[in-house]
Amino acid sequence: MIEHPRADELIEAVAGWVESIRPQLNPRDAFLSRVAVNALNAVKRELVQGPAAEAAAVARLSALLGVEGDLKALNAELCERLRRGEMDVATPGLIPALKAGIEDQIAIDQPSYVSVKVR
């Protein structure tokens, strides 16, 4: 049976290769390679952690809004309710749901910030 490398494995391999050549690069290119590796790692985290984070967000928003839908539709519904004034900071569950979504996104985008608590 042939097993192909997964996308996250390919990204990790490319990032590792870029890291391995960085010490040989001039300062500008070394900086740009570091930026590239950070971008590749963010894409890898999105591939690995993104589906669970999105499923959790859908579950939170569905419970909060009392409707079903995909993440885009639920976000649009939440925004509309906020614009109409039907929901605000006093709405039970709103702030914890938003905080959880922010923390999940930070864990993907910039995991070193996870130790910073969102108030």
Side-chain angles (χ1 to χ4, degrees):
M1 183 154 124
I2 299 173
E3 292 188 19
H4 299 282
R6 295 186 322 262
D8 62 306
E9 294 170 332
L10 293 170
I11 290 168
E12 186 174 342
V14 172
W17 177 78
V18 172
E19 279 292 329
S20 74
I21 66 165
R22 186 164 46 122
Q24 304 159 16
L25 300 174
N26 66 56
R28 180 180 183 279
D29 290 340
F31 171 76
L32 293 174
S33 72
R34 186 176 197 135
V35 171
V37 167
N38 287 340
L40 288 167
N41 287 330
V43 171
K44 179 183 171 191
R45 288 189 301 273
E46 179 65 38
L47 288 170
V48 173
Q49 297 169 241
E54 183 170 328
V58 167
R60 280 191 301 271
L61 290 175
S62 292
L64 179 67
L65 299 169
V67 297
E68 299 293 320
D70 63 16
L71 185 56
K72 184 176 180 178
L74 291 167
N75 272 328
E77 178 65 23
L78 174 62
C79 290
E80 188 57 35
R81 289 186 191 190
L82 290 168
R83 274 195 280 294
R84 289 191 308 245
E86 296 172 14
M87 298 179 92
D88 59 25
V89 295
T91 302
L94 176 62
I95 297 302
L98 294 176
K99 282 176 62 174
I102 290 166
E103 289 171 350
D104 285 350
Q105 192 61 54
I106 290 171
I108 292 169
D109 293 344
Q110 209 47 257
S112 62
Y113 294 172
V114 171
S115 62
V116 177
K117 291 293 180 186
V118 179
R119 294 180 190 213

